[in-house]
Amino acid sequence: MIEYENLNKVNAPYFEEYKKSFADVLDSGWFVLGKNVEAFESEFANYLGAEHCVGVASGLDALTLSIMALDLDAGSEIIVPSNTYIATIMSILQCGHKPILVEPCIETYNINPELIVKSITAKTKAILVVHLYGKPCEMDAILQICKERDLFLLEDCAQAHGAEYKGKKVGTFGHLSAFSFYPTKNLGCLGDGGAVVTNNAEYAAKVKMLRNYGSNKKYHNLLLGLNSRLDEVQAAFLRIKLQHLDNINKHKQRLANLYLQGIKGDYILPQVTPSTTDVYHIFNVRHKKRDLLQQYLLDNGVKTEIHYPIPPHRQPAMKFLHGMDFPISEQIHTTTLSLPISTFHAEEDVDFVIGLLNAFKC
Ligand SMILES: *Cc1c(COP(=O)(O)O)cnc(C)c1O
């Protein structure tokens, strides 16, 4: 059986280092926001080429805190892709703003800059882009729109640690950017974690307060914040994993290239664009008979996933979107299938999957 994901195997190479750093944290007696969090924040900012990083409790909180830092008027409109993980849209709602869903390009699965322009109104205050599956968005076009229309830019980098657009890492384009360190992400910890990244010192200081009850001095609360702190154990694990992130991404890129070159026939493969270095958090193919294909692969010993089976505008929690039409998003949701591409998969595993795909008849 070729598994889709196995977090024991993903983390096994770091067990010895993790055990040592866990023992150090245990001995220190200091567990929330401490030396490891500070060190990780500066190491991750440095890795990205950004000025500031603020560790928080999750990717969703990183998004929410980024929006909170902008201090937008209640009910402001924020443009967001119609095909994203639900957290992106939830963060906008949590802040009391209105998500305006914009369709992706069918080739890249990322938000379509031409459709962004058509969705801007007098109430639009920000664009929240998502570098879906680990592929950076069309940043030149999006930056141009933000400049011309005087809009804030936010980036959801939860699937794109280390991905680059024209040689510059994602997370360094927006006013604020959000990362998740959920265990399955390319840079994953052993629980929940996230970070806000920014080049602006004021935003960084504000997010630091907002993550800690709006306080920058014990028992003095300046803002209405959250409790969304990164803990020392996770930060210590992340410092170790960060040293391996480039190798993790290279391994996934190598497997992706095998898929790209080996898969023949009736499949729509991810687009390769010269302007982007993709990190393949997910490697998807699209096929008209997706469900039959998934069952066929399973019957032959290969587990796959669907990212995502239900689009945000059809989720019970998103009633205000019901009845709206997002045909491109639906087309992706009904045809996409995510293939095994984890760090523990070998080239032979991928060759086996390619062989099955090329023999699929329907
Ligand atoms: C994982 C993910 C999030 C949320 O991150 P959590 O750490 O699970 O809160 C947000 N956006 C995208 C695109 C994601 O993939």
Side-chain angles (χ1 to χ4, degrees):
M1 176 64 72
I2 296 183
E3 295 167 289
Y4 180 77
E5 187 58 287
N6 180 324
L7 292 172
N8 174 274
K9 289 183 183 165
V10 163
N11 288 294
Y14 322 112
F15 277 180
E16 289 313 310
E17 284 176 278
Y18 283 171
K19 281 175 187 165
K20 188 183 169 305
S21 65
F22 177 74
D24 289 345
V25 173
L26 195 57
D27 284 340
S28 79
W30 190 283
F31 302 115
V32 176
L33 296 183
K35 285 198 195 92
N36 280 294
V37 172
E38 271 175 39
F40 172 71
E41 288 172 340
S42 89
E43 287 158 12
F44 193 50
N46 199 38
Y47 171 83
L48 295 171
E51 293 290 324
H52 309 278
C53 167
V54 182
V56 302
S58 72
L60 173 61
D61 281 1
L63 288 162
T64 304
L65 289 161
S66 296
I67 298 169
M68 285 170 80
L70 295 178
D71 252 331
L72 304 175
D73 293 334
S76 294
E77 293 180 359
I78 300 181
I79 288 174
V80 65
S82 56
N83 70 318
T84 179
Y85 181 57
I86 198 88
T88 325
I89 297 169
M90 280 189 179
S91 69
I92 297 172
L93 294 167
Q94 282 192 350
C95 294
H97 301 307
K98 187 170 180 205
I100 303 296
L101 274 61
V102 167
E103 288 263 77
C105 300
I106 190 65
E107 293 84 15
T108 63
Y109 314 132
N110 278 331
I111 195 162
N112 183 338
E114 284 169 23
L115 298 181
I116 291 179
V117 175
K118 292 186 184 155
S119 304
I120 295 173
T121 72
K123 285 187 174 168
T124 309
K125 293 288 149 37
I127 302 174
L128 170 46
V129 300
V130 181
H131 308 293
L132 199 73
Y133 301 160
K135 182 183 197 61
C137 296
E138 265 309 314
M139 294 316 296
D140 279 349
I142 292 162
L143 286 165
Q144 181 73 19
I145 296 168
C146 289
K147 203 170 137 202
E148 280 172 13
R149 304 299 187 102
D150 197 21
L151 301 175
F152 290 109
L153 176 62
L154 302 168
E155 291 175 76
D156 180 340
C157 305
Q159 303 191 357
H161 316 72
E164 293 179 2
Y165 178 80
K166 298 191 173 170
K168 193 166 146 40
K169 290 212 160 52
V170 301
T172 61
F173 293 91
H175 292 88
L176 299 116
S177 300
F179 286 84
S180 162
F181 306 123
Y182 185 75
T184 59
K185 310 288 183 180
N186 287 26
L187 179 61
C189 57
L190 303 183
D192 276 310
V196 176
V197 169
T198 176
N199 287 323
N200 179 309
E202 274 177 43
Y203 291 145
K206 204 158 164 191
V207 173
K208 276 191 179 175
M209 282 197 258
L210 288 169
R211 75 175 169 185
N212 190 23
Y213 299 111
S215 165
N216 61 359
K217 188 175 162 203
K218 204 170 183 183
Y219 306 132
H220 291 250
N221 303 81
L222 295 173
L223 302 168
L224 290 175
L226 311 178
N227 173 0
S228 181
R229 302 173 294 217
L230 186 60
D231 63 65
E232 283 287 289
V233 176
Q234 299 306 336
F237 296 151
L238 284 165
R239 292 182 69 193
I240 293 164
K241 194 86 163 268
L242 178 59
Q243 294 172 11
H244 302 277
L245 177 58
D246 282 340
N247 282 334
I248 290 167
N249 287 343
K250 274 187 203 137
H251 181 85
K252 289 167 81 81
Q253 285 159 349
R254 194 157 56 237
L255 299 184
N257 280 328
L258 289 178
Y259 279 132
L260 287 167
Q261 280 159 26
I263 299 172
K264 308 285 178 225
D266 234 7
Y267 300 95
I268 300 171
L269 299 174
Q271 198 181 51
V272 178
T273 36
S275 54
T276 66
T277 307
D278 308 351
V279 295
Y280 297 101
H281 170 60
I282 284 161
F283 186 95
N284 79 315
V285 294
R286 291 200 297 118
H287 194 281
K288 286 194 291 280
K289 300 274 169 65
R290 187 267 315 275
D291 293 340
L292 278 178
L293 176 65
Q294 184 174 39
Q295 188 60 47
Y296 159 82
L297 289 171
L298 188 62
D299 291 344
N300 286 282
V302 175
K303 287 190 180 167
T304 56
E305 292 280 344
I306 295 171
H307 299 95
Y308 297 90
I310 304 169
H313 67 278
R314 292 191 180 277
Q315 293 287 355
M318 299 274 155
K319 286 211 173 52
F320 69 103
L321 294 172
H322 293 183
M324 291 174 82
D325 226 15
F326 298 101
I328 299 183
S329 182
E330 301 231 345
Q331 196 182 339
I332 297 167
H333 281 81
T334 50
T335 55
T336 192
L337 187 67
S338 308
L339 303 179
I341 189 161
S342 191
T343 44
F344 66 91
H345 288 120
E347 298 192 354
E348 299 78 71
D349 296 327
V350 168
D351 287 338
F352 181 72
V353 178
I354 293 170
L356 286 175
L357 288 171
N358 291 349
F360 178 57
K361 304 261 187 313
C362 69

